[in-house]
């Protein structure tokens, strides 16, 4: 499935960014099971004695129900003994292989598997002498994303900021900080996401586009985000490196004010802007100006501004 989309917004991010310098920040979120954080990291670790470990547990994982192959990626497995009577919870085993086998004392356990920042937990009882197999279903789809500056433009190969949000019903474009799951900086990005609806906000050069993504388990999606943008260079007489330039939406918001979309200081700045109508506001301390202009995708332009003394 391939799409070229410009706006609307939701998505997710895993830690395997294509750029080795990728920055990934997990945010406080109500969707905590997507943050790749173990629920049991504070528990004590107790290693069972080999003589007591007469039970066998083998775990495997699939990306979605009906998948032809088991996952071969590293998975962070944690086996936790269930508290019974006076015996408290404790971590009894850990492993990172995709298909580990654990030797355990007979009893009840919680098995946690973290794959690409997605956390799944399962309850299991391990008897003596009878091997148990446990299959983890991550109920997820995979999304690959890249960005182009305009239709027909080459994919952007420098750092794009990808932000992933949960899509709340009725939220529209009003994305909330509390719903942001990850921020990743990389030219392209691949997300592994549990089934659901998300928004990815992709930002580049001060310009951003949102993409709404309904994800079905077992599906593979490939998206190209089109900024529909162009570069606009401004110049005016008697400007210097301290001159202030602000780019405002031409149409005022409901409060009557124009929203600022970008700003720079300098003698002749260049902005990457989405297609649309704008107003440039410039001030060099002695003179100022406001001037309307229009941006058309893929058409780089230079705008000359006339300053008037304050």
């Amino acid at each position: 499935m391939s799409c070229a989309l410009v706006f609307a917004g939701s998505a997710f991010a895993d830690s395997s960014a294509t750029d080795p310098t990728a920055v990934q920040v997990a945010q406080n979120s109500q969707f905590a099971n997507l943050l790749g954080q173990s629920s049991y990291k504070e528990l004590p670790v107790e290693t069972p004695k080999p003589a007591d470990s007469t039970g066998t547990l083998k775990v495997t994982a699939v990306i979605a129900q009906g998948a032809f192959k088991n996952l071969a990626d590293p998975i962070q497995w944690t086996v936790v003994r269930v508290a019974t009577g006076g015996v408290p919870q404790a971590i009894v085993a850990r492993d990172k292989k995709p298909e580990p086998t654990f030797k355990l004392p007979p009893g009840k356990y919680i098995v946690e598997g973290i794959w690409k920042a997605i956390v799944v937990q399962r309850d299991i009882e391990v008897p003596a002498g009878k091997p148990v197999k446990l299959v983890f279903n991550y109920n997820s789809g995979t999304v690959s994303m890249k960005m182009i500056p305009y239709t027909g433009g080459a994919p952007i190969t420098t750092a794009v900021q990808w932000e992933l949000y949960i899509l709340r019903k009725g939220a529209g474009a009003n994305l909330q900080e509390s719903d942001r799951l990850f921020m990743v900086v990389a030219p392209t990005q691949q997300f592994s996401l549990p089934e659901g609806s998300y928004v990815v906000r992709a930002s580049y050069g001060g310009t951003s586009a949102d993409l709404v993504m309904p994800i079905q388990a077992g599906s593979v999606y490939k998206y190209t985000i089109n900024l529909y943008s162009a570069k606009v260079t401004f110049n005016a007489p008697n400007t210097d490196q301290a001159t202030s330039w602000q780019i405002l939406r031409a149409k005022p918001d409901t409060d009557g004010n124009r929203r600022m979309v970008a700003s720079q200081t300098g003698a002749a700045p260049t902005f990457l802007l989405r297609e649309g109508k704008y107003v440039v506001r410039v001030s060099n301390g002695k003179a100022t100006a406001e001037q309307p202009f229009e941006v058309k995708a893929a058409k780089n332009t230079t705008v000359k501004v006339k300053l008037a003394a304050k």
Side-chain angles (χ1 to χ4, degrees):
M1 178 177 180
S2 298
C3 294
L5 298 162
V6 189
F7 61 85
S10 192
F12 191 103
D14 69 32
S15 58
S16 57
T18 56
D19 187 339
T21 62
V23 178
Q24 182 167 301
V25 181
Q27 302 294 323
N28 180 24
S29 170
Q30 299 173 38
F31 208 177
N33 69 314
L34 288 181
L35 295 180
Q37 298 175 359
S38 173
S39 301
Y40 306 105
K41 59 184 178 181
E42 303 299 331
L43 286 182
V45 178
E46 296 183 12
T47 303
K49 296 178 181 179
D52 298 331
S53 301
T54 59
T56 301
L57 172 64
K58 181 176 181 178
V59 288
T60 59
V62 293
I63 189 171
Q65 187 69 36
F68 295 112
K69 295 182 179 180
N70 294 338
L71 289 173
D73 303 320
I75 298 174
Q76 182 181 320
W77 300 104
T78 302
V79 182
V80 177
R81 180 184 64 211
V82 173
T84 55
V87 180
Q89 272 193 335
I91 295 171
V92 296
R94 286 191 176 115
D95 207 308
K96 290 186 178 180
K97 294 192 293 290
E99 298 186 0
T101 297
F102 299 101
K103 298 295 290 184
L104 302 167
K108 294 182 178 180
Y109 297 90
I110 301 167
V111 182
E112 177 185 75
I114 302 177
W115 171 71
K116 291 185 179 292
I118 306 171
V119 181
V120 172
Q121 295 159 354
R122 294 281 303 274
D123 295 324
I124 188 70
E125 184 167 359
V126 178
K130 184 178 180 181
V132 176
K133 293 183 179 180
L134 185 61
V135 179
F136 273 58
N137 176 10
Y138 283 91
N139 196 40
S140 300
T142 300
V143 182
S144 297
M145 305 194 71
K146 63 182 178 180
M147 176 183 280
I148 56 174
Y150 46 81
T151 303
I156 292 170
T157 57
T158 53
V160 177
Q161 179 173 292
W162 308 93
E163 295 176 83
L164 176 71
Y165 294 81
I166 303 165
L167 181 60
R168 301 289 182 185
K169 186 176 181 180
N174 298 316
L175 301 178
Q176 302 298 315
E177 184 71 17
S178 59
D179 289 337
R180 189 172 76 172
L181 298 172
F182 290 95
M183 181 178 71
V184 179
V185 179
T188 61
Q189 183 57 34
Q190 185 178 84
F191 304 118
S192 296
L193 311 172
E195 189 167 85
S197 295
Y198 304 86
V199 179
V200 67
R201 173 163 289 170
S203 303
Y204 179 78
T207 299
S208 64
D210 292 355
L211 170 66
V212 173
M213 300 194 308
I215 301 298
Q216 291 186 338
S219 298
V220 176
Y221 304 84
K222 293 183 179 181
Y223 288 107
T224 297
I225 292 185
N226 189 341
L227 280 182
Y228 290 99
S229 63
K231 291 181 179 180
V232 183
T233 300
F234 297 91
N235 58 51
N238 302 318
T239 57
D240 55 28
Q241 294 304 313
T243 301
S244 171
W245 304 80
Q246 295 180 338
I247 308 300
L248 313 171
R249 292 285 184 194
K251 184 178 179 181
D253 288 339
T254 54
D255 60 4
N257 297 316
R258 294 190 180 98
R259 181 166 63 89
M260 185 172 71
V261 298
S263 65
Q264 286 189 45
T265 57
T270 297
F271 293 83
L272 179 69
L273 298 171
R274 297 282 299 274
E275 188 172 79
K277 295 182 179 181
Y278 300 88
V279 171
V280 60
R281 179 182 293 164
V282 57
S283 174
N284 67 358
K286 297 179 180 179
T288 187
E290 282 194 9
Q291 184 170 312
F293 67 97
E294 186 171 358
V295 176
K296 293 190 179 294
K299 295 183 181 290
N300 297 338
T301 58
T302 298
V303 176
K304 295 182 179 181
V305 181
K306 295 181 179 180
L307 294 176
K310 290 185 177 179

